[in-house]
Amino acid sequence: MRKQITVEEAIKKGHLIVNAPVFIVIIGCPAFAMYLSVQYSIPSWGIGAGFLIGFLFAWLIWSFMITKWRIWAFENVRNVHELKKRAIQEKLIWNDGNIFEKTEIRTAKDKIKLKILEKKFEQKDKFREDYSLPPKTEIYHSKVDCYVNLIVSILIIGVGIYLFSKGGIKLYILSIITIGIGIYSTIKELRKVLDTKPILIIDSKGIQTKNLAFKNWSTIKSEEVVQEGFGNSAKAYLTFYYDEDKFEQTAIDSLNITQRELENIIRTYRIRNNKNNR
């Protein structure tokens, strides 16, 4: 019987065999071109060519290796829905239908394998209860993040005051804008620091958020942690539908919990609720 690989193991291997070579090539080619420029005085356009060659070669590596990883991962991982979601979040693969997904290099044999593997998506993911979780979990604003942001906000006010002290109509306007931004941000972070109420309360009976009264699991569906956007602009949310068609979305980036931890929490309490209702 084939040993099942965890989602985490599959993602780590993906970074190792796909992203690592891509990173090495995309950095290595321009670096090698710069070396040749210094040592052998090649034309300056050679450095630009190095960047271009590095990018094209890196994309070729990704296009070939991502297909090999995709087939291996979906063959060996049980929870293919979670794997696909994590792979997109980890920038290993693109969303279905994305133009960049179409650049994956797939042989006729690869396409047949991937078509067969699509059947695995007909079954739901299977999760285990985390027995280490307490009967109830309360989640708050991350105090560390709040204090760091508060310090930054105060520094912004300081910069504004400094600009104001230099005089000049342009600096006065800039300083007022800067001080205004700093004051707004300071008040915002102070509220978080002084807020002692949990943002999320989750247990085997249901979920309560900062803006939503307690809802029983029986009224909740499609609960998940999603990530919107890319790079530094990416935002994570806990989302779910309740009372048939109403939608709740709670930002979690500023909370004292990670996406993976929150996913584990909502799955565990959903499992406990199902056990209690059998």
Side-chain angles (χ1 to χ4, degrees):
M1 183 178 177
R2 178 181 291 174
K3 180 178 180 279
Q4 290 290 314
I5 305 298
T6 66
V7 170
E8 197 63 40
E9 290 171 334
I11 294 296
K12 287 180 179 178
K13 185 168 182 178
H15 285 305
L16 181 64
I17 70 173
V18 180
N19 284 349
V22 166
F23 178 79
I24 291 171
V25 169
I26 208 166
I27 297 297
C29 285
F32 183 62
M34 291 179 185
Y35 169 79
L36 292 178
S37 177
V38 172
Q39 295 295 323
Y40 302 101
S41 300
I42 65 171
S44 57
W45 57 261
I47 297 176
F51 278 97
L52 180 61
I53 292 171
F55 174 79
L56 293 176
F57 191 31
W59 197 276
L60 182 63
I61 291 174
W62 177 85
S63 299
F64 177 77
M65 292 303 299
I66 196 61
T67 298
K68 301 305 176 187
W69 174 83
R70 189 191 286 267
I71 292 172
W72 170 84
F74 287 109
E75 278 183 342
N76 291 279
V77 173
R78 165 62 178 81
N79 291 347
V80 292
H81 295 279
E82 181 188 12
L83 174 62
K84 185 175 182 179
K85 177 182 175 182
R86 281 286 307 279
I88 293 172
Q89 291 178 346
E90 298 277 344
K91 311 300 185 292
L92 274 170
I93 63 175
W94 298 90
N95 288 306
D96 291 342
N98 190 291
I99 188 172
F100 296 117
E101 183 198 24
K102 301 182 187 301
T103 65
E104 293 184 22
I105 298 174
R106 301 175 182 179
T107 64
K109 188 176 179 179
D110 291 335
K111 291 178 181 179
I112 292 173
K113 286 184 177 180
L114 289 169
K115 190 67 177 177
I116 294 172
L117 286 171
E118 286 180 5
K119 294 181 179 179
K120 290 189 72 173
F121 286 88
E122 295 175 2
Q123 61 183 0
K124 292 183 178 180
D125 288 351
K126 188 176 182 180
F127 300 103
R128 294 181 179 179
E129 177 182 353
D130 183 352
Y131 295 102
S132 67
L133 287 179
K136 178 193 293 185
T137 295
E138 296 183 344
I139 302 168
Y140 300 82
H141 283 298
S142 170
K143 296 302 181 184
V144 173
D145 286 350
C146 288
Y147 283 122
V148 169
N149 292 335
L150 184 59
I151 291 172
V152 171
S153 301
I154 293 172
L155 288 175
I156 290 174
I157 295 175
V159 170
I161 294 173
Y162 172 78
L163 292 174
F164 189 85
S165 68
K166 290 298 180 179
I169 186 65
K170 291 183 178 179
L171 286 181
Y172 282 149
I173 295 173
L174 181 59
S175 67
I176 291 172
I177 294 173
T178 303
I179 292 171
I181 292 173
I183 292 175
Y184 171 79
S185 182
T186 299
I187 294 172
K188 180 181 176 182
E189 296 305 323
L190 270 176
R191 286 177 176 175
K192 290 181 181 179
V193 170
L194 299 175
D195 188 1
T196 59
K197 296 180 179 179
I199 306 302
L200 292 171
I201 301 176
I202 311 174
D203 59 22
S204 61
K205 295 180 180 179
I207 301 176
Q208 178 178 324
T209 73
K210 182 79 172 179
N211 301 314
L212 182 67
F214 176 83
K215 294 296 176 181
N216 194 284
W217 283 112
S218 61
T219 67
I220 295 172
K221 63 180 180 180
S222 303
E223 68 278 0
E224 64 175 333
V225 179
V226 300
Q227 181 174 295
E228 298 180 356
F230 295 95
N232 294 329
S233 63
K235 302 292 182 183
Y237 303 89
L238 169 63
T239 66
F240 59 87
Y241 288 90
Y242 66 96
D243 295 344
E244 296 300 333
D245 60 349
K246 296 178 181 177
F247 182 72
E248 171 66 8
Q249 176 175 279
T250 302
I252 66 168
D253 289 313
S254 64
L255 306 184
N256 60 344
I257 197 167
T258 66
Q259 292 184 48
R260 304 285 86 79
E261 290 170 338
L262 184 54
E263 286 174 342
N264 179 56
I265 287 170
I266 61 175
R267 287 167 184 162
T268 290
Y269 288 121
R270 170 65 84 174
I271 291 171
R272 291 180 184 179
N273 178 263
N274 292 340
K275 283 183 177 180
N276 294 335
N277 292 329
R278 284 177 183 171

